Amino acid sequence: MAENKKKSSNKKKKNDLRRKEALYGYLFISPWLVGFLGLFLRPLITSVKYAFSKVSFTPAGVETSFVGIENFTSPFQDVYFIPKTFGPGVSSFWYEASLVCVFSLFIAILLNQKFRGRAAARALFFLPVIIASGVVIQILRYNGLDTDLETENSFVFSSDGLAVLLNSIGFPDKIRQVFEQISNRIFDIVWLSGIQIILYLSGLQSVPRAEYEAAQIEGATAWECFWKITWVRVSPMTLVVVIYSIVDSFTNVSNKMIKFISEGTTNMGVSCAMGWLMCVIAMVVLIVVGGLISRHVFYVNEE
C-alpha cells in the first residue's frame, strides 16, 4: 500500500514537472506567437491571394483579379528560367547544407579543445551572425571581396591556380568544377556557419568525458572515438543543423530564386506565386531529409 502511494506521488511529481516545462515552452514562444498573429498572419494570407491574382496598383488602391495558376506557370514559359534560375535556386541546398554542416562540425571540434584564446576564436566565428544583414553582406560581396556577379560567389582568392593544378593532374571537368565551386565559396561557408558551429559546440560539450576516457583505456583510436562516441552523441544536433542549413539555403539572399522573387520581376502576383512554390518545395525537402536523418539519430535515455 505504501509502495503504491509512493509510486503515485512520483508520478504526480513527474506530471507537475512536465506541466511546468510545457508552461515554460509556451512562455518562450509567446513573443513569436504574438508577432505571428499580429504582424505576419495577415500579410501571409494576402500573399496567397496575390499568388492567384493579377495585382494592379491604382490611385484608388490595390486591385486584384483572379487568374488561377497563371502566375505559377508564366515564369516557366521562359526557356532560360529553369536552367538559369529555378534549377540552381532549388538544387543549391544539397551542397550548401552539406558543406556548412561538415565545416561547422570540424570547427566546433577545434573550438571545443583547450587552447589559449579559445573565447576570442569562438567569438570570431560567431561574429557574422551578429553583423549579418543584407546591407553588410552586399558591401562585403561587392566592395570588400572579389565577386563573380553571375554566380554570386564571393571569394578571397581566385581558384585559377587550383584549376590549373587539377587540370595538370588530370581530374575530370565535373570534379574540377566541384572543387572550384567549393574554393570560391569559402567566404560564404564561413559566413553561414555561425549558428551551426554554436549548435554543434553545445552538443559536444554535453558528451560525458568519461566515455572518451573509457574508450581510450580500451585502446580506441581518436578516429574510432569520433565515429563511436562523438558522431553518435551529436546526431540529434546534426538533425537540427541540417534542417537549419536547408532553410537558410532556401532563404539566402544569394539564392537565384530569392533574387528573382525580390528583384527579377515587377509582377507582385508572380513574386508571391514563386515564393509559395519555394515554400512548398522547401517543406517537402525538409520532410524527406528530416525523415531520413531521424532514423539514424541516437537519443540518450535519461530516465
Side-chain angles (χ1 to χ4, degrees), residues 51 69-86 257 260-261 264-265 267-275 277:
I69 63 172
E70 181 181 335
N71 290 332
F72 290 89
T73 59
S74 59
F76 293 93
Q77 295 175 4
D78 184 354
V79 294
Y80 297 105
F81 180 71
I82 292 179
K84 295 291 187 179
T85 304
F86 183 77
M257 281 297 292
F260 175 81
I261 293 169
T265 178
N267 189 326
M268 183 172 291
V270 172
S271 294
C272 291
M274 293 298 100
L277 180 60

Side-chain angles (χ1 to χ4, degrees), residues 181-283:
Q181 290 178 1
I182 293 174
S183 64
N184 286 347
R185 292 185 63 85
I186 288 177
F187 170 77
D188 289 328
I189 293 170
V190 175
W191 191 267
L192 297 172
S193 299
I195 295 293
Q196 292 88 327
I197 292 173
I198 297 298
L199 290 172
Y200 268 132
L201 194 58
S202 65
L204 290 170
Q205 291 177 345
S206 66
V207 180
R209 194 67 199 170
E211 294 186 3
Y212 290 106
E213 293 173 353
Q216 290 172 357
I217 292 174
E218 294 295 330
T221 63
W223 182 254
E224 291 171 334
C225 287
F226 172 79
W227 287 109
K228 300 296 183 180
I229 300 176
T230 305
W231 179 249
V232 174
R233 281 288 192 168
V234 301
S235 59
M237 205 57 70
T238 298
L239 176 61
V240 178
V241 168
V242 170
I243 296 298
Y244 182 91
S245 300
I246 291 175
V247 174
D248 197 31
S249 176
F250 272 101
T251 58
N252 194 287
V253 292
S254 64
N255 187 292
K256 293 286 187 178
M257 281 297 292
I258 297 300
K259 290 186 68 66
F260 175 81
I261 293 169
S262 60
E263 304 172 5
T265 178
T266 57
N267 189 326
M268 183 172 291
V270 172
S271 294
C272 291
M274 293 298 100
W276 276 105
L277 180 60
M278 284 289 286
C279 181
V280 171
I281 294 173
M283 290 177 64

Side-chain angles (χ1 to χ4, degrees), residues 151-163:
T151 62
E152 293 296 318
N153 288 336
S154 302
F155 45 93
V156 179
F157 59 88
S158 173
S159 61
D160 293 340
L162 179 63

Side-chain angles (χ1 to χ4, degrees), residues 61-111:
V62 180
E63 295 183 356
T64 59
S65 57
F66 183 75
V67 294
I69 63 172
E70 181 181 335
N71 290 332
F72 290 89
T73 59
S74 59
F76 293 93
Q77 295 175 4
D78 184 354
V79 294
Y80 297 105
F81 180 71
I82 292 179
K84 295 291 187 179
T85 304
F86 183 77
V90 171
S91 63
S92 62
F93 79 90
W94 72 267
Y95 67 86
E96 282 189 3
S98 301
L99 291 174
V100 168
C101 291
V102 172
F103 176 79
S104 301
L105 180 57
F106 175 74
I107 296 298
I109 292 174
L110 293 181
L111 295 178

